[in-house]
Amino acid sequence: MFDRYESGEQAILVHINFTQEGEWEDLSEFEMLVSSAGVNTLQVVTGSRKTPHPKYYVGEGKAQEIAEAVRALDADIVIFNHSLSPAQERNLEQICKCRVLDRTGLILDIFAQRARTHEGKLQVELAQLRHISTRLIRGWTHLERQKGGIGLRGPGETQLETDRRLLRERIKTILRRLEKVAKQRDQGRRARNRAEIPTISLVGYTNAGKSTLFNRVTNAGVYAADQLFATLDPTLRKIEVADVGTSILADTVGFIRHLPHDLVAAFKATLKETQEATLLLHVVDASDDRFRENIEAVDSVLEEIEASDVPTLVVMNKIDNLEGATPRIERDDEGVPRRVWVSAMEGQGIDLLFDALTDCLSGTMVKHTLCLPPQYVGRYRSKFYQLGCIVHEEYDPDGNLKIDIRLPLAEWSRLQKRESTSLDDFIVA
């Protein structure tokens, strides 16, 4: 679609520190992003400014320095660790004579590489088209208006107007397809809600170890690697939690600072698994020096997708990289688990994680002691055995069965509705 410089694998990286700018980025994370995209770094150009330059983002002198580095090292692309305006990208491409990519474009490129499912590819394409739509001015500059003549007369649009119209139509097509996917996901969620099956959603900063933990808990075998955005397509698996029963564990895409808004909007169907989860497992790389800032970044994204009110259990992962760290559960004053320290890679603390899940999800559990007359023993005892909720049972001299049960409140309510005789009549005070 575009007359653009061809993107290559040899890159010049640009990282600017702003003394009065809130959009501060991390250089090491930027280098990991570039590495995850499969790009070879030739040189990192750094600098300091108070505010971005309106024309080049960097100063004119720094722009010349970048252009000279491109020529000297024969670089194919310049990648900025910041969000550039379309005009700034265009001006930098003119002076550098090569492709210029900003942080948002880099993240979109990584997502495009990692998308595997039909839904994931549609979501990434939607985000890319929305991003590209603001940058069409650079395309087809040699075709200001379509040519006239027999067989060549067009609708009177400039090429730019034609491109915009085609983009709008493609975006509408993708949105219709994603709407169908969203309906299918909603049906699955409604079915789980009807069955009262809890959903546990893994969230966290990218490369925190979510997929490794997911594999450790479910034996799912999803792709896990020490790179940013290794997981893009959501995966759901059943797990068994003691005293709770069957639960659904969902592995989702990782978050990052200043996650492009186009991506958040495009992944709305996927992120709804997080919005409507019973419990969030916030996985944190405990060995990362900036884990507190990472937690804040994830919390801000959760707030943006309206999932900040969902109950959360923090999982401090990668304790095998911390000296002297041991698996443990941290509880609040009421005894509710707040943090679990584990190593998903080594399998340390996974049993403690399941204990914490039981405590977090069994808040709706009920305990009753029933005294069943002989005529009701066979009928109800078999049902309780099917539910696996019998804690203790014994018969008294009159043939009555005294039975202790523990089961989810939803199961108890469902059982009450099915039976013509009220079970409350058999509860021993």
Side-chain angles (χ1 to χ4, degrees):
M1 182 179 281
F2 303 101
D3 262 356
R4 303 291 297 274
Y5 303 109
E6 289 188 5
S7 163
E9 300 297 316
Q10 310 299 316
I12 302 288
L13 310 187
V14 181
H15 175 79
I16 305 298
N17 290 315
F18 291 100
T19 55
Q20 299 179 0
E21 184 72 19
E23 299 296 307
W24 181 77
E25 304 289 1
D26 181 39
L27 178 57
S28 60
E29 180 180 271
F30 177 45
E31 290 174 333
M32 284 190 69
L33 275 172
V34 172
S35 175
S36 297
V39 177
N40 180 37
T41 301
L42 298 176
Q43 182 181 335
V44 179
V45 178
T46 59
S48 298
R49 286 185 63 85
K50 287 186 178 180
T51 56
H53 190 279
K55 186 174 182 181
Y56 295 115
Y57 196 86
V58 297
E60 292 189 20
K62 185 64 70 174
Q64 289 291 346
E65 179 187 334
I66 296 168
E68 289 170 8
V70 169
R71 288 191 289 272
L73 299 173
D74 195 24
D76 304 300
I77 187 169
V78 176
I79 306 177
F80 275 70
N81 190 22
H82 312 276
S83 294
L84 302 177
S85 70
Q88 287 167 340
E89 272 193 25
R90 184 170 66 252
N91 294 335
L92 285 163
E93 285 188 351
Q94 288 174 350
I95 195 172
C96 294
K97 297 295 187 289
C98 73
R99 176 87 186 276
V100 174
L101 197 66
D102 66 355
R103 181 183 172 89
T104 300
L106 176 63
I107 293 174
L108 287 172
D109 185 78
I110 294 172
F111 272 56
Q113 292 180 39
R114 302 281 157 75
R116 292 290 179 271
T117 64
H118 177 63
E119 178 192 3
K121 290 175 181 177
L122 284 176
Q123 289 170 326
V124 172
E125 185 182 355
L126 176 61
Q128 286 180 317
L129 291 177
R130 284 173 169 167
H131 183 65
I132 288 172
S133 63
T134 61
R135 287 157 167 77
L136 281 176
I137 191 68
R138 294 174 303 176
W140 302 98
T141 52
H142 61 293
L143 289 176
E144 182 55 30
R145 187 167 293 280
Q146 294 175 353
K147 294 178 181 178
I150 296 175
L152 294 175
R153 291 187 177 92
E157 297 175 310
T158 64
Q159 187 66 46
L160 180 60
E161 290 167 343
T162 303
D163 290 343
R164 282 178 176 157
R165 177 170 51 80
L166 292 174
L167 270 182
R168 284 195 300 270
E169 290 172 358
R170 179 60 182 163
I171 287 174
K172 287 178 183 176
T173 301
I174 294 174
L175 286 173
R176 282 196 297 271
R177 292 184 181 178
L178 285 175
E179 195 174 338
K180 290 182 182 178
V181 173
K183 287 179 180 177
Q184 291 170 350
R185 286 192 176 276
D186 284 339
Q187 288 174 349
R189 272 191 293 271
R190 283 197 296 270
R192 293 198 297 271
N193 290 337
R194 282 195 298 270
E196 300 290 344
I197 298 176
T199 302
I200 306 161
S201 184
L202 288 171
V203 298
Y205 207 75
T206 181
N207 203 34
K210 295 184 295 300
S211 295
T212 305
L213 180 64
F214 185 81
N215 287 337
R216 175 68 65 177
V217 171
T218 65
N219 297 318
V222 300
Y223 178 67
D226 185 17
Q227 58 187 21
L228 303 185
F229 297 118
T231 300
L232 183 58
D233 302 307
T235 309
L236 280 70
R237 291 289 187 276
K238 285 184 180 180
I239 61 172
E240 293 296 325
V241 180
D243 294 335
V244 176
T246 301
S247 302
I248 299 295
L249 185 64
D251 187 18
T252 58
V253 63
F255 300 149
I256 197 169
R257 284 178 197 81
H258 309 133
L259 190 68
H261 290 284
D262 288 338
L263 273 180
V264 175
F267 279 73
K268 189 173 286 186
T270 301
L271 294 174
K272 205 156 188 179
E273 296 291 349
T274 301
Q275 286 176 305
E276 301 190 6
T278 311
L279 177 70
L280 298 183
L281 280 189
H282 183 168
V283 183
V284 179
D285 181 357
S287 63
D288 191 335
D289 294 335
R290 299 186 62 199
F291 76 85
R292 288 183 179 84
E293 291 92 327
N294 294 348
I295 291 174
E296 291 175 3
V298 172
D299 287 343
S300 67
V301 177
L302 289 175
E303 197 168 332
E304 187 175 346
I305 65 173
E306 299 176 356
S308 56
D309 295 334
V310 180
T312 303
L313 174 65
V314 177
V315 180
M316 303 299 288
N317 191 25
K318 302 189 183 182
I319 61 171
D320 52 306
N321 295 334
L322 292 175
E323 193 173 340
T326 56
R328 64 187 187 277
I329 299 178
E330 293 180 6
R331 300 176 183 270
D332 61 15
D333 296 337
E334 298 176 356
V336 179
R338 291 302 175 209
R339 285 190 176 187
V340 186
W341 296 72
V342 305
S343 169
M345 182 67 72
E346 302 294 330
Q348 300 174 22
I350 302 301
D351 53 339
L352 295 178
L353 175 60
F354 272 95
D355 291 343
L357 287 176
T358 298
D359 291 344
C360 290
L361 294 174
S362 63
T364 55
M365 302 292 287
V366 294
K367 295 180 182 178
H368 290 302
T369 299
L370 307 179
C371 185
L372 298 175
Q375 64 268 31
Y376 292 104
V377 170
R379 175 179 169 186
Y380 286 116
R381 188 169 177 266
S382 62
K383 293 183 184 296
F384 293 146
Y385 261 104
Q386 287 173 2
L387 293 171
C389 63
I390 297 177
V391 179
H392 178 72
E393 59 180 346
E394 63 179 355
Y395 286 92
D396 66 12
D398 298 326
N400 298 317
L401 177 65
K402 193 174 183 181
I403 186 168
D404 296 326
I405 59 171
R406 186 176 187 274
L407 73 169
L409 177 60
E411 289 285 0
W412 174 256
S413 302
R414 202 155 36 233
L415 195 61
Q416 288 271 52
K417 289 177 184 176
R418 290 197 202 115
E419 301 303 322
S420 56
T421 305
S422 174
L423 287 168
D424 291 335
D425 297 338
F426 304 127
I427 295 177
V428 178

